[in-house]
């Protein structure tokens, strides 16, 4: 059985579950998106995640989370939902190491004052185990996180897009702040090397948080 056949079979097996997810999200986004739009996003999200998912049992839960985040991003980019905080997107190739570490560290440093997402131009099936270990040393559990494909909606919703070795795969839109952080890919590296990468990312994150929050405070003062 080919990978495409397996994905199709899995989609058929989960059709009822996906319809229930679609209904929940349609209720959540009522007045913003039509039920048909929500359902399309749910099924697209499932198919995208199923291509690389290692354990299919988690697919319905990750699909609902991923589709919800994409719909929220789409609503933000269209102005249907107003974001009260800056939105940052981290992008690397596999979304299994650098971007996941950056997102987790920014969540800690920002304390809810910044919205954080991460994605991969070619997402892996799971997070790098050495990355999980290095982050757990800081008391951060990334075991429930999962690699997500890069989608146009999350780029459009972001105020700041930070790439980490994904080349030109990230679309460019006017009015956004783009940065490229040159960081060693942790894939296949020793724990010692991953710790160094983690700490370098942490230093950059602290600088980013200070910059974003200072800008936000200046805008609030001028308003």
């Amino acid at each position: 059985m080919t990978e495409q056949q397996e994905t199709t079979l899995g989609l058929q097996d989960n059709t009822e579950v996906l319809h229930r997810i679609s209904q929940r999200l349609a209720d959540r986004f009522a007045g913003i998106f039509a039920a048909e739009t929500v359902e399309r996003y749910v099924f697209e999200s499932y198919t995208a995640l199923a291509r690389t998912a290692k354990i299919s049992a988690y697919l319905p839960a990750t699909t609902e989370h991923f589709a919800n985040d994409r719909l929220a991003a789409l609503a933000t980019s269209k102005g249907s939902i107003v974001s009260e905080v800056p939105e940052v997107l981290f992008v690397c190739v596999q979304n299994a190491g650098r971007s996941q570490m950056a997102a987790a560290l920014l969540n800690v440093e920002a304390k809810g004052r910044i919205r954080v997402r991460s994605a991969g131009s070619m997402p892996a099936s799971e997070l790098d185990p050495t990355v999980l270990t290095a982050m757990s040393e800081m008391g951060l559990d990334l075991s429930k996180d999962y690699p997500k494909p890069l989608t146009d909606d999350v780029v459009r919703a972001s105020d700041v897009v930070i790439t980490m070795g994904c080349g030109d795969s990230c679309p460019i839109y006017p009015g956004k702040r783009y940065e490229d952080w040159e960081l060693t890919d942790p894939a296949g590296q020793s724990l010692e090397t991953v710790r160094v990468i983690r700490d370098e990312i942490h230093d950059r994150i602290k600088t980013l948080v200070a910059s974003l929050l200072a800008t936000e405070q200046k805008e609030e003062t001028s308003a």
Side-chain angles (χ1 to χ4, degrees):
M1 185 179 293
T2 66
E3 181 181 345
Q4 184 175 1
Q5 288 172 325
E6 288 175 350
T7 299
T8 302
L9 180 61
L11 180 59
Q12 291 171 345
D13 289 344
N14 282 306
T15 296
E16 288 189 15
V17 175
L18 295 177
H19 280 308
R20 288 198 295 272
I21 291 171
S22 299
Q23 184 58 59
R24 285 197 294 271
L25 293 182
D27 291 342
R28 188 174 302 166
F29 289 96
I32 300 176
F33 298 120
E36 294 78 9
T37 300
V38 173
E39 185 170 281
R40 176 170 58 83
Y41 262 66
V42 168
F43 278 75
E44 284 180 358
S45 297
Y46 177 92
T47 301
L49 293 174
R51 291 193 185 103
T52 57
K54 211 166 191 180
I55 304 175
S56 59
Y58 300 146
L59 268 174
T62 54
T63 294
E64 184 162 2
H65 178 272
F66 184 44
N68 177 74
D69 198 45
R70 289 183 62 200
L71 288 163
L74 181 62
T76 299
S77 68
K78 289 180 175 295
S80 301
I81 295 177
V82 178
S83 179
E84 302 293 336
V85 298
E87 305 213 7
V88 176
L89 171 66
F90 293 103
V91 184
C92 68
V93 178
Q94 295 189 315
N95 192 217
R98 292 164 291 187
S99 55
Q100 293 280 2
M101 287 194 285
L105 291 166
L106 181 52
N107 271 322
V108 170
E109 294 293 335
K111 299 179 175 63
R113 295 171 293 176
I114 297 171
R115 174 75 180 269
V116 187
R117 295 185 177 92
S118 70
S121 53
M122 296 175 61
S125 60
E126 60 185 357
L127 267 63
D128 188 303
T130 310
V131 166
L132 294 178
T133 300
M135 297 302 286
S136 69
E137 293 176 347
M138 297 182 67
L140 298 176
D141 181 9
L142 272 60
S143 62
K144 293 183 180 179
D145 292 335
Y146 58 97
K148 298 168 288 295
L150 178 64
T151 58
D152 186 71
D153 35 62
V154 296
V155 179
R156 287 181 180 275
S158 302
D159 300 301
V160 181
V161 179
I162 298 175
T163 55
M164 303 171 164
C166 64
D168 298 326
S169 60
C170 191
I172 303 297
Y173 295 107
K176 301 186 184 301
R177 170 177 163 186
Y178 289 87
E179 295 185 15
D180 183 46
W181 292 0
E182 293 186 9
L183 297 159
T184 302
D185 187 347
Q189 303 288 351
S190 67
L191 179 57
E192 290 73 20
T193 299
V194 174
R195 285 174 180 145
V196 172
I197 299 169
R198 176 200 66 195
D199 293 344
E200 182 179 351
I201 292 173
H202 201 181
D203 288 341
R204 289 174 180 259
I205 289 296
K206 291 175 182 176
T207 302
L208 176 66
V209 170
S211 168
L212 288 177
L213 295 184
T215 301
E216 186 180 24
Q217 289 171 355
K218 185 182 294 185
E219 290 175 350
E220 289 175 352
T221 302
S222 61

